[in-house]
Amino acid sequence: MEGNSAAALSGCAIVWRNIRIFILLIVLLWAAVHTSFERFGSTRWKDPLWVGIFPINADGTAAAQSYIDGITAENFGDINEFMGREAHRYGKSLAKPLYLVVYPQVRTLPPTLSRDAGILGTVWWSLKLRWYAWRNADTHGRASPHVRMFVLFHDPSTLQTVPDSHGMQKGLIGVTHVFGSQRMARTNSVVIAHELLHTLGATDKYDYATGAPLFPIGFAEPARKPLYPQDETEIMAGRRAVSAQRAEMPEGLDTVVVGPATAVEIRWAKR
Ligand SMILES: [Zn+2]
C-alpha cells in the first residue's frame, strides 16, 4: 500500500511539474509573439506612430519642476517635423509619421542601469523597466501610446552632463535624460529622437570608445568631397565629423538626417 501511495504521489508531482512547464512555455511564447508583433506594428508606417512623452523631475529641484509645468506637445514639434521631413525623403507618403502626446508627470524614477551591469544585469534592468513602465505610464484614461518615452529633466545649474539615455525595442520604452532649460530644448529633441529611433530598432552608428561617427554609416554625406567638415549629422551617430579627429553635437534637428542604414533598420527603406 505504502509503495502504491508513494508512486501515486510522484506521479502527481510529475503532472504538476509538466503543468508548470507548460504554463511557462505559454508565457514565453506569448512574450515572443507580443514582442515581434510590437516590432512589426511600430514600423509599419501606415498610420502615425503614437509616442507618449512622460515628463519626470529627475533631481526634485524647483527649476526642473517649473520647466516641466510649462511643457506642451509644441515643445517637441521639431521631432514631428524631423520625422516627417526624413520619412518623405524615403518616399513615405504618411503626412505625419508621429502623433506625439505629452502625458501628466510621472512621480516615480525609473530603474537605473549602471555602466558595468554586464549582460545579466542589463537583462534584469530591462525586465524591471518593463514592470516600471507598466506600473507608471498612467495615461489618465486616455488611450495608451505605442511608444512610451520617459523624459527626465535635470536642473542645468546642478550638473555638467546628464546620465546616459536608453531606448529599448523590447517593450517600446525610452528613458531619456535632458536639461530642463528652454536654451537646451533643441538639443534635448536630438537626444529624444535618437532614443525614439532605438525603440524602433535603429542601432548606434558611432565608436563607443571615442564617440566619433562610424564611416560611412554614421556620416550624413559619406560621398562628399572633401569629406570634412560634414555639415549635417546622422541621427544615430549623434555627432557630425568636422575633421578626422573632431566631432560636434548638432544644435537642433534641422541639420540632422536619417541615414540609409538607419532607414533600413526602421523599415523606411529596403536593404
Ligand atoms: Zn544610442
Side-chain angles (χ1 to χ4, degrees), residues 165 194-195 198 203-204 206 208 236:
S165 295
H194 176 102
E195 299 307 329
H198 269 315
T203 57
D204 283 323
Y206 63 90
Y208 287 136
M236 299 314 289

Side-chain angles (χ1 to χ4, degrees), residues 48-80:
L49 180 72
W50 193 327
V51 177
I53 301 273
F54 295 88
I56 299 173
N57 187 335
D59 50 19
T61 57
Q65 191 56 49
S66 98
Y67 187 77
I68 289 171
D69 291 343
I71 285 177
T72 66
E74 278 176 30
N75 288 65
F76 309 102
D78 51 351
I79 301 175
N80 272 331

Side-chain angles (χ1 to χ4, degrees), residues 144-158:
S144 294
H146 299 123
V147 182
R148 291 164 290 184
M149 297 294 292
F150 296 96
V151 182
L152 289 94
F153 291 91
H154 296 259
D155 177 356
S157 70
T158 60

Side-chain angles (χ1 to χ4, degrees), residues 203-206 213-222 234-237 257-262 265:
T203 57
D204 283 323
K205 291 171 183 66
Y206 63 90
L214 295 177
F215 184 82
I217 57 171
F219 279 56
E221 299 167 286
E234 203 289 327
I235 183 70
M236 299 314 289
V257 300
V258 170
T262 300
E265 289 168 336

Side-chain angles (χ1 to χ4, degrees), residues 81-245:
E81 266 173 47
F82 162 72
M83 289 292 282
R85 181 185 76 224
E86 293 301 296
H88 292 161
R89 225 163 47 78
Y90 285 97
K92 294 285 148 193
S93 54
L94 202 61
K96 284 186 176 174
L98 293 190
Y99 176 59
L100 215 144
V101 179
V102 178
Y103 286 93
Q105 183 174 349
V106 171
R107 304 285 168 179
T108 312
L109 294 175
T112 53
L113 175 65
S114 69
R115 285 191 170 174
D116 56 358
I119 293 174
L120 270 182
T122 305
V123 169
W124 180 234
W125 168 82
S126 74
L127 286 173
K128 282 196 293 185
L129 183 60
R130 289 182 82 161
W131 174 252
Y132 166 86
W134 184 69
R135 290 289 305 267
N136 291 284
D138 188 352
T139 59
H140 291 248
R142 296 158 80 181
S144 294
H146 299 123
V147 182
R148 291 164 290 184
M149 297 294 292
F150 296 96
V151 182
L152 289 94
F153 291 91
H154 296 259
D155 177 356
S157 70
T158 60
L159 76 176
Q160 289 284 315
T161 55
V162 289
D164 290 341
S165 295
H166 304 283
M168 205 171 72
Q169 193 179 8
K170 285 197 174 77
L172 302 175
I173 303 166
V175 175
T176 310
H177 290 268
V178 296
F179 287 115
S181 145
Q182 202 53 52
R183 202 169 51 82
M184 307 292 283
R186 292 176 69 229
T187 48
N188 289 349
S189 290
V190 176
V191 178
I192 294 168
H194 176 102
E195 299 307 329
L196 171 64
L197 292 182
H198 269 315
T199 72
L200 305 180
T203 57
D204 283 323
K205 291 171 183 66
Y206 63 90
D207 184 326
Y208 287 136
T210 64
L214 295 177
F215 184 82
I217 57 171
F219 279 56
E221 299 167 286
R224 182 191 160 116
K225 288 191 176 80
L227 188 57
Y228 305 107
Q230 291 277 309
D231 288 334
E232 295 182 319
T233 306
E234 203 289 327
I235 183 70
M236 299 314 289
R239 290 164 195 255
R240 69 186 171 97
V242 289
S243 71
Q245 292 78 31

